Amino acid sequence: MTTANKITIFRVICIPVFIVLMYLEAPWTQYAALAVFVIASLSDFLDGYIARHYNQVSNFGKFMDPLADKMLVVTAMLLFVEQGRMPGWMLALVVGREFAVSGLRLVAVEQGRVIAAAKSGKIKTAATMVGIILMLAVGVPYSAPDYLGMACNWIILVTTLYSGVEYFIVNRDVLKSESL
């Protein structure tokens, strides 16, 4: 197993640790949850760099790396919805975009094409992870009103929807060749 894949697996292992820390009530656990999320987020950039720089790109990594990212981000957002810090409809749109882009990629693969990550998708990922980190930081201890959290929610939503729309516009020919 490559170093990059080990880092991806580490990110997946961080998810249940993050969840447990978010549910614990001790004062230090919110700081620990923030630290775990930051480390997991940074590991995303590290495993990608190692995979490309040291030629460790693998099918496992191509599959597991984006899945680990989505699992980490959606987990944090689900917890925010449960805490009343993110509206459920925003999370539904974010998850809907992920399903739609994944579906588009599957259709493209059936046509022998690979849809690479677009720059807007990378911006979306960075904005989302930074937004979640800021929301976790604001939540230590919880402050009201949470204007920074609200701003982060909207930045996450706008970058998510923009990148999703761009994927479909740039790759519209993938769907045109299908009988609808």
Side-chain angles (χ1 to χ4, degrees), residues 73-87:
V73 164
V74 170
T75 296
M77 290 181 185
L78 280 168
L79 292 169
F80 289 153
V81 168
E82 183 177 35
Q83 295 171 347
R85 299 179 65 210
M86 175 180 266

Side-chain angles (χ1 to χ4, degrees), residues 76-126:
M77 290 181 185
L78 280 168
L79 292 169
F80 289 153
V81 168
E82 183 177 35
Q83 295 171 347
R85 299 179 65 210
M86 175 180 266
W89 64 266
M90 280 188 177
L91 177 58
L93 288 173
V94 169
V95 171
R97 179 262 187 215
E98 297 302 337
F99 282 135
V101 170
S102 294
L104 179 66
R105 285 189 163 127
L106 287 173
V107 172
V109 164
E110 287 180 3
Q111 297 173 8
R113 289 183 46 187
V114 174
I115 297 177
K119 185 176 182 179
S120 66
K122 292 180 182 199
I123 291 169
K124 182 261 316 173
T125 299

Side-chain angles (χ1 to χ4, degrees), residues 23-44:
Y23 276 107
L24 292 176
E25 305 263 337
W28 62 270
T29 59
Q30 295 300 307
Y31 294 102
L34 171 61
V36 167
F37 191 89
V38 168
I39 292 166
S41 296
L42 292 174
S43 78
D44 177 35

